[in-house]
Structures are given as structure tokens and as C-alpha cells.
Amino acid sequence: MFARLSQLTRHLSRPLPNYGHISAAAGTRASIGAAIMPSSEDRSRRMIHTAGCIIIGDEVLGGKTVDTNSAHFAKYCFLLGMNLKRIEVIGDDEAEIGEAVRRMSENYDFVVTSGGIGPTHDDVTYQSIAKAFDLPLKLHNDTLKLMKALSKPHPSQKNFSWDVPSPALDAKLRMARLPIDESRDEKSQVLFVDESLWVPISVVNGNIHILPGIPRLFIQLLDGLKPLLTPRLENPEGKGVYRILFSTPMAESEVAGYLTKLAAEVEPKGVKVGSYPRWGRKRNSVTLVGKDKDYMESLVPQIEKGVDGVRVEREEDADESEDEENGS
């Protein structure tokens, strides 16, 4: 007990830290951080390493619509060598959209949103993102011209006219009012990447790319955007991430120890090890994902032995050989 009292006395007798100095240092660091905060222009030009995706729509959260755009975007990022860090699904809520785009714009190099840019009252993506970055919504004349040229009125709109005010016209114009930073070149903020479409990709804060939720349009616009992205990737051809797939008859629990050791061994090389059960099949899958192709290839014989498996191009390949052996 006396030893503990003595220890406590020594602790209390120590000089107090200079909190004023610490506070001043923290303030200096904060000032430096604010000073080097990248501008919209910087974000639009810097190299792309990380990506984020925001799926917007009450219909997705309510189960009415099945989201396929995030899965497509994940494959898109993988093929281009971008590290997709986050996918979020949020509703048609102005505050939630604003919070998500501000956070992702700060955290990731390349961000896409999907959904909420149609003509109805619940399509609030443009206005929410504009508000999040204190930007005006501006009727974009080139978008309007292309809309007039390429879109046709619905069969139910027999009396529709672009020249006569109407609720239908107001609804269409809603889709051409875009967030615009008037201090920057407008062409870098509104991208027309497919000549068959009037729908642009609206770019806000340099790295947020606003896309429609309709899967066909989402895919088409991402494909059109690719040539603009590849110069900003580590590999100009948009390649550089590789996946090697193995099929094993072993249970996950049986190979877990080996894969744990393997993951620790390859992590310094930037390679990740994955293990995936395949319910209803006799074989499971193991993957290597990374950028050092030669190193990954050198591991193939070791891993085939370690999981008692074979390298395959598709998960189903080994299943087919197994079915042949069983005479089915």
C-alpha cells in the first residue's frame, strides 16, 4: 500500500503539461490543413487511387428496385485499377445526400452517385448536392438543346410543346437544371460523353459525378467516361489490378489456418487473400488480388498445394470437371 501511495505522490508531483503549447500546435496544424485543402480544380485533375459510390433512392431502400449499379461500378473500378472503398445506399433525403457527398468527396478521389435526377418531386439529387456545396442550380442550355433534339414526348403527351408553359415542361426543365460553380469553367462541370444521349454527367466539387439510376444509362455513361479517366490512373491503359482464382474441395475451416498465414505473408506486397464458400456446391473459392502480377504468379503452385486445389478462370470450371467425373 505504501508503495502505491509513493507512486501516486511521484505522479502528482510531476509538472503539468503545457496545454497552451499543445493547443497552439493543434491550431497550427489545423490552419495548415485548411491551407492545403484541395480545390475543385485539384480534385478534377489529381491521380485517381480510391473511389466511392452512393446509390440514391427510396425505392431501393424499400425493396421495390434491386440495385445493380453498385455491382457494375465495383467491376468497373476493379478493371480500371481503382480501389473502391465504400458503397452507400441512401434515400431521397436532402440532408443525407448532402452529408454523404461532402464526406465522400473529401475522402475519395473519384465518386459517383446513381439516381434521383428525374423529373418528379422526389428526384432531389441535383438540388441536394448543389446545396451541399453552396452552388446555384442553373438551367444548362446545352443540356436543354440536346434534350429537345434527342428526346421524344411520351405518347400520353400529344399536346406537349417546348414553347408553351406547362407542368410537363417544368418537369422536363428540372432535369436540365444543374449545380454550377460559376467561378470555374462550365465545360469541366458538365460532360457529354455519349453522343446518343442528352443526359450529361454533372461534376461537382471536381470529383463527384452525378449519374442516372437507370442501369442502361448508368453503364453507358460510365463507359463513355472511361477515356477521360484513364490518363489519371496509375496505369495509362487502365489496367493494373489482377485476380487469380483457385477452386478447392476443402472446407473453409480446413484451409483457414493456411490462408491466415498466407495473408500475412503477402500483405506487405499489397496482395489480398480471399476465401468464399459456394453453397450447394462441393468446391469453394480462394482468390489473390493485387497489382504485382509476377509475384502473384509465383505463388500459384504453393497455393494450389496449400488448398489442395487448382487454378481456374471461372468458379464453375472445376465444377464442370467434377460433374464429368461423376458421370452427370
Side-chain angles (χ1 to χ4, degrees):
M1 179 175 177
F2 289 111
R4 291 180 61 192
L5 286 172
S6 176
Q7 185 181 33
L8 179 60
T9 302
R10 287 197 302 272
H11 175 76
L12 292 175
S13 65
R14 290 173 184 168
L16 291 173
N18 186 346
Y19 290 111
H21 172 74
I22 294 172
S23 177
T28 301
R29 287 194 296 271
S31 298
I32 293 173
I36 62 174
M37 182 72 69
S39 67
S40 298
E41 206 66 40
D42 293 333
R43 286 189 175 93
S44 69
R45 294 178 179 177
R46 68 187 179 190
M47 296 296 288
I48 298 174
H49 302 285
T50 57
C53 177
I54 306 171
I55 304 298
I56 300 170
D58 290 342
E59 68 277 12
V60 178
L61 291 176
K64 177 182 178 295
T65 299
V66 176
D67 163 49
T68 59
N69 288 344
S70 61
H72 177 81
F73 185 64
K75 294 175 183 177
Y76 181 87
C77 290
F78 183 86
L79 292 174
L80 291 180
M82 290 186 280
N83 187 7
L84 178 58
K85 303 292 287 184
R86 182 173 291 272
I87 296 172
E88 292 186 14
V89 182
I90 59 178
D92 297 299
D93 180 275
E94 189 175 275
E96 288 193 6
I97 294 171
E99 185 280 328
V101 294
R102 284 192 300 269
R103 172 168 39 81
M104 285 212 187
S105 179
E106 181 177 346
N107 291 341
Y108 309 124
D109 301 320
F110 177 66
V111 179
V112 302
T113 72
S114 163
I117 61 172
T120 58
H121 70 283
D122 56 348
D123 291 305
V124 297
T125 297
Y126 283 146
Q127 69 190 53
S128 301
I129 295 178
K131 183 175 181 179
F133 294 98
D134 197 24
L135 298 175
L137 280 178
K138 182 178 176 182
L139 184 63
H140 191 254
N141 289 326
D142 287 346
T143 299
L144 182 57
K145 288 177 184 176
L146 286 171
M147 187 190 297
K148 289 180 179 180
L150 298 177
S151 67
K152 297 179 180 179
H154 189 270
S156 65
Q157 298 175 313
K158 295 178 180 179
N159 297 321
F160 174 80
S161 171
W162 290 104
D163 302 315
V164 178
S166 67
L169 177 59
D170 290 341
K172 290 179 183 291
L173 294 180
R174 183 184 179 93
M175 296 185 287
R177 290 193 172 92
L178 310 177
I180 298 293
D181 183 345
E182 295 176 331
S183 69
R184 300 180 60 226
D185 180 13
E186 202 169 276
K187 290 183 179 179
S188 66
Q189 302 178 67
V190 185
L191 307 178
F192 294 97
V193 298
D194 190 311
E195 62 183 14
S196 70
L197 299 175
W198 65 262
V199 184
I201 297 177
S202 175
V203 184
V204 176
N205 207 36
N207 64 347
I208 300 168
H209 300 71
I210 306 173
L211 278 74
I214 299 171
R216 178 181 66 83
L217 298 180
F218 182 85
I219 292 170
Q220 204 167 333
L221 289 171
L222 275 181
D223 287 344
L225 185 61
K226 195 179 298 183
L228 300 179
L229 299 179
T230 49
R232 298 169 56 200
L233 301 174
E234 287 183 313
N235 185 313
E237 296 181 358
K239 299 178 181 177
V241 177
Y242 302 93
R243 179 186 284 121
I244 297 179
L245 180 64
F246 301 87
S247 178
T248 172
M250 309 295 286
E252 276 199 300
S253 56
E254 188 67 26
V255 297
Y258 168 72
L259 294 181
T260 299
K261 292 178 182 178
L262 177 65
E265 175 189 332
V266 302
E267 184 181 14
K269 293 279 191 176
V271 177
K272 291 187 176 183
V273 178
S275 176
Y276 305 96
R278 300 179 61 228
W279 301 110
R281 304 300 304 194
K282 295 180 179 179
R283 305 181 73 89
N284 294 321
S285 297
V286 171
T287 62
L288 283 184
V289 176
K291 295 183 179 182
D292 192 337
K293 187 177 182 181
D294 292 339
Y295 174 66
M296 292 165 62
E297 290 287 351
S298 73
L299 296 172
V300 170
Q302 168 195 334
I303 295 173
E304 286 184 324
K305 181 179 179 181
V307 301
D308 191 24
V310 293
R311 178 179 181 172
V312 293
E313 292 299 319
R314 302 173 305 142
E315 286 186 318
E316 299 82 9
D317 289 349
D319 294 339
E320 292 170 1
S321 63
E322 186 177 78
D323 291 340
E324 291 174 2
E325 291 174 3
N326 293 337
S328 57

